[in-house]
Amino acid sequence: MPNRILIADDNIANVELLETYLLGLDCEIATAFDGQETLEKVRDFQPDLILLDIMMPKLNGFEVCQTLKSNPDTAQIMVLMVTALNELGDIERAVEAGCDDFLSKPVNKIELLKRVDNMLRIHTITDELERLRTYIDRMEATNGPLGSHERE
């Protein structure tokens, strides 16, 4: 199943550029043009990664990220903030909001692709780890703690 990437930016030219850069990847892409639409698309599209602009109408990227990361159902979604803001205070606010990484505009294609690849790998590993934890929990619930039969 291909990864799902949501591009959230109010500037259509930026969205089209990011879509073009991601063309070679095996992924499904959806787009959103403001913060509120981003949250709606997250619910419907269920992305693995969001390329999130900070300066957007309705809700800014900080607010969107904080909303996603504070909800257990969406906290695992990787968030790469892509922004023209590069002041130290903006980076600190992005980290405080829970973003996983950030990239300054203008976006370098190679840097974007490498970060997207790394973040999707982390997401996949995290998913696999969560599935393994769930499996172990089920096994322990059914059979008792692992190794408990050895103590009998």
Side-chain angles (χ1 to χ4, degrees), residues 109-123:
K109 180 181 179 181
I110 293 169
E111 187 176 8
L112 172 73
L113 291 175
K114 191 61 181 167
R115 290 195 191 201
V116 165
D117 181 56
N118 286 339
M119 293 179 83
L120 290 174
R121 285 177 195 232
I122 290 168
H123 185 270

Side-chain angles (χ1 to χ4, degrees), residues 84-95:
L85 302 177
N86 57 8
E87 297 293 320
L88 188 57
D90 298 322
I91 294 169
E92 287 174 359
R93 280 185 69 194
V95 170

Side-chain angles (χ1 to χ4, degrees), residues 60-99:
N60 67 40
F62 300 125
E63 294 166 320
V64 170
C65 187
Q66 197 161 25
T67 299
L68 294 171
K69 293 299 185 173
S70 65
N71 180 340
D73 294 332
T74 56
Q76 79 290 352
I77 298 171
M78 302 296 287
V79 176
L80 174 61
M81 287 207 175
V82 183
T83 181
L85 302 177
N86 57 8
E87 297 293 320
L88 188 57
D90 298 322
I91 294 169
E92 287 174 359
R93 280 185 69 194
V95 170
E96 288 170 5
C99 87

Side-chain angles (χ1 to χ4, degrees), residues 33-37 40 55-61 63-64:
F33 297 96
D34 65 52
Q36 190 60 49
E37 184 184 9
E40 292 165 10
M55 302 304 292
M56 290 191 300
K58 297 188 181 175
L59 294 171
N60 67 40
E63 294 166 320
V64 170

